[in-house]
Amino acid sequence: MTEMSSRLSGPASHTVTARSVWPKPINTLINALINFLTRPRRLAPLLACAWMILIAGFAFAPHWFTAYDPLEGDVLASLAAPDAEHFLGTDKLGRDVFARIVYGARFSLGVGLGAVAISVAFGVLLGLIAGQRQRVLDEGFSRLFDVVSAYPGVLLAMLLITFLGGSLVNVAIAVGIAGIPKFGRVVRAQTKAVQDADYVVQASIYGRSRFSAFLVHVVPNVLTVVPVVATISVGTAILTTSGLSFLGLGPQPPTPEWGLMLAESRDYLRTAWWTGVLPGIAITLTVIAFAVLGGSLQRHIEGRAP
Amino acid sequence: MTSTRAMITKRIAPRLLTGLLVAWGAVTAAFIGMHALPGRVEDILAGDMSWPGLREAIAQEWGLDQSVWSQYVGFIWRIAQGDFGTSYVMRQPVADVIGPQIWPTVHLALSAGILAVVLAVLAATLTAGRGRIARAAASLIELACVSAPVFWIGLLLLLAFSFTLRWFPVSGADGWRALVLPAVTLALPTAGLLAQVLREAMEKALVQPFVVTTRARGIGETLLRLRHVLRHAALPAVTLGGWLVGGLLGGAVITEKVFGRPGLGTVTLNAVLSQDAPVVLAVVMLAALIHVLASTALDVAYVFIDPRLKVQ
């Protein structure tokens, strides 16, 4: 009896606070976002948001934040300690470290977002296919995910760079490919779960074709899991990217990329700690910010905020 | 002991088969990658040289003029025998190039792995379900460990313990002193992740009825956590194991570069920069095979760790 009534009242059990033209799951997502932005109840997500806004500012309008050029250095001021003039010091070529961190934001953010865009595009597509009721497709794609994730991310990226050559774009492609299985698996599991939900069954009882029910009911509900994983993944993508550019496989000098800055600092660490400490703080805080925001987004979507 | 036999046929055998399948897939993917990606092998080998007939000569020397299928079958056959081909750049068997470098890397990854498990178990057992401040502090440290680039952790440790305190050498691989900082560097991100998973699992386990029963028997808190709760919580951590082995191998490449240690990392990096595809492929396939082996072994171990699976 309970099963019967829950089937009949299917969609009604998915109540949302605001009515809109969007499909309900997307609406839930939008509500979660609004909720998060207007009623923050925790300090950590607020701080993460603030840092993110700052980094986004660095990426879009670096010249607002610093008057120095990230590439032109004053050789006479080589390895100057932080002072009033260069408040985070200078590197071996006398370039302002703060200016280089500011200008480096666009590379890290760009590669992180680009890599995750690749992972999401292919991961969601393959996950939706693998989640179908076809056993062969499911096994095939699931094993494919196993194969790709059998390669450690850094090594897979190194392999691809051997063939493609080292550059910022190729690093993004390599890191993006390494991230496909993560999204593929999550989306596959969610597709499997949603497909058998009462409201999808009900839609087909009401005469929707399987394909139409899939598009209208399954896909939007599956996509709700993507933003959380994607947010956290941007952070891990930035982490892997910085490692590859530390190895010299990404952008080449004099690009002000954070990982590359750290690689260049290794020989001067003894005398100039600021060159080796500050870009690392920038990377770490950015990765933490993405992780915290992802976690917070998840709590809001699941409705257990704060 | 019928249950053991049933377990072997129902769980372990299919898992081993899947592991074999994934290993074959990983090798095949590497082969496809070598042939499908731009930067054709002949071009890499020819480098800046060019004269009539050079490319054909190269193709013949490296067996590239044969059909793709016979190249593929030869490739798989040789890998099954442990022959990973010949280095383009060094003109000697890949096994001879990477063989001597495997041990320093395994040494580093293994010490880091053990250290990571010890640190994670300590952190999780000490802080799970305790006061707010202890948990917040532990999660903050873990989050920082997980989010910091491994090479940056290495640089910070160098700065503190080699340059400032002068306790450990800056680079090299002689003796245990040279191993301490690289092992700690590599262990911290893994330990952070493992501790996060373990603590969450332990906090879930601590509110289960069996904990109440065990407490009612009068067991001490430490023994309860170590003997009962930890075993329960270890299960989700074990499933992460294969992934962590891969992470340790990948991280070892970067850590070796920071500390100037010899090992697979240096060899791989040089091979990537000189486009020495057979060497890179061999290292990557080796890592993938170790990953598959580790995750298969852990999945099989899972059946023995979790007594509930025997009942079903």
Side-chain angles (χ1 to χ4, degrees), chain A residues 260-289:
Chain A
L260 193 60
M261 288 169 70
L262 287 172
E264 289 171 349
S265 81
R266 192 195 182 285
D267 299 334
Y268 309 93
L269 207 54
R270 196 188 298 262
T271 45
W273 59 267
W274 52 92
T275 57
V277 173
L278 302 171
I281 293 180
I283 300 175
T284 309
L285 285 182
T286 309
V287 178
I288 290 181

Side-chain angles (χ1 to χ4, degrees), chain A residues 77-246:
Chain A
S78 170
L79 296 176
D83 58 16
E85 200 179 338
H86 299 280
F87 84 100
L88 297 184
T90 62
D91 67 4
K92 62 177 169 180
L93 297 176
R95 296 172 296 199
D96 186 73
V97 170
F98 178 66
R100 287 177 69 74
I101 290 178
V102 168
Y103 279 86
R106 61 171 60 165
F107 297 108
S108 290
L109 270 192
V111 174
L113 292 172
V116 171
I118 293 172
S119 311
V120 167
F122 288 96
V124 168
L125 191 68
L126 297 181
L128 281 173
I129 297 173
Q132 298 304 307
R133 292 194 186 86
Q134 307 280 342
R135 184 110 200 270
V136 180
L137 284 177
D138 185 9
E139 279 295 314
F141 282 110
S142 296
R143 293 295 86 78
L144 185 71
F145 298 150
D146 286 352
V147 167
V148 176
S149 56
Y151 296 111
V154 174
L155 287 175
L156 179 62
M158 286 175 86
L159 180 64
L160 291 168
I161 288 166
T162 309
F163 295 110
L164 300 172
S167 78
L168 204 62
V169 175
N170 289 347
V171 165
I173 293 174
V175 174
I177 290 177
I180 292 174
K182 185 170 29 175
F183 289 92
R185 290 197 179 120
V186 171
V187 168
R188 173 192 164 273
Q190 184 77 358
T191 310
K192 287 239 180 266
V194 170
Q195 244 174 9
D196 298 328
D198 292 340
Y199 54 87
V200 179
V201 177
Q202 190 191 31
S204 58
I205 292 172
Y206 280 171
R208 264 198 197 277
S209 73
R210 252 193 81 187
F211 186 67
S212 157
F214 181 73
L215 277 189
V216 175
H217 295 290
V218 178
V219 173
N221 274 295
V222 166
L223 291 186
T224 49
V225 296
V226 173
V228 171
V229 186
T231 309
I232 297 169
S233 294
V234 176
T236 46
I238 289 176
L239 210 54
T240 315
T241 312
S242 72
L244 291 167
S245 43
F246 177 78

Side-chain angles (χ1 to χ4, degrees), chain A residues 143 146-147 149-156 158-165 239-240 242-244 246-249 258-259 262-263 265-266 269-270 273 276-281 283-285 287-288 291-292, chain B residues 18 21-22 25-27 29-30 33-34 37-39 143-144 146-149 151-152 155-156 158-159 163 166 170-171 246 250 253-254 257-259 268-269 272-273 275 277 280-281 283-284 287-288 291-292:
Chain A
R143 293 295 86 78
D146 286 352
V147 167
S149 56
Y151 296 111
V154 174
L155 287 175
L156 179 62
M158 286 175 86
L159 180 64
L160 291 168
I161 288 166
T162 309
F163 295 110
L164 300 172
L239 210 54
T240 315
S242 72
L244 291 167
F246 177 78
L247 293 176
L249 303 176
W258 294 341
L262 287 172
S265 81
R266 192 195 182 285
L269 207 54
R270 196 188 298 262
W273 59 267
V277 173
L278 302 171
I281 293 180
I283 300 175
T284 309
L285 285 182
V287 178
I288 290 181
V292 169
Chain B
T18 314
L21 199 71
V22 171
V27 171
M34 188 154 79
L37 287 171
L143 186 61
V146 173
S147 305
F151 56 91
W152 186 58
L155 289 179
L156 290 184
L158 269 182
L159 190 61
F163 294 145
R166 296 172 185 280
V170 175
S171 63
V253 172
I254 297 176
K257 161 96 172 161
V258 177
F259 292 94
T268 317
L269 192 58
V272 172
L273 293 174
Q275 293 202 299
V280 185
L281 266 180
V283 173
V284 173
H291 177 135
V292 172

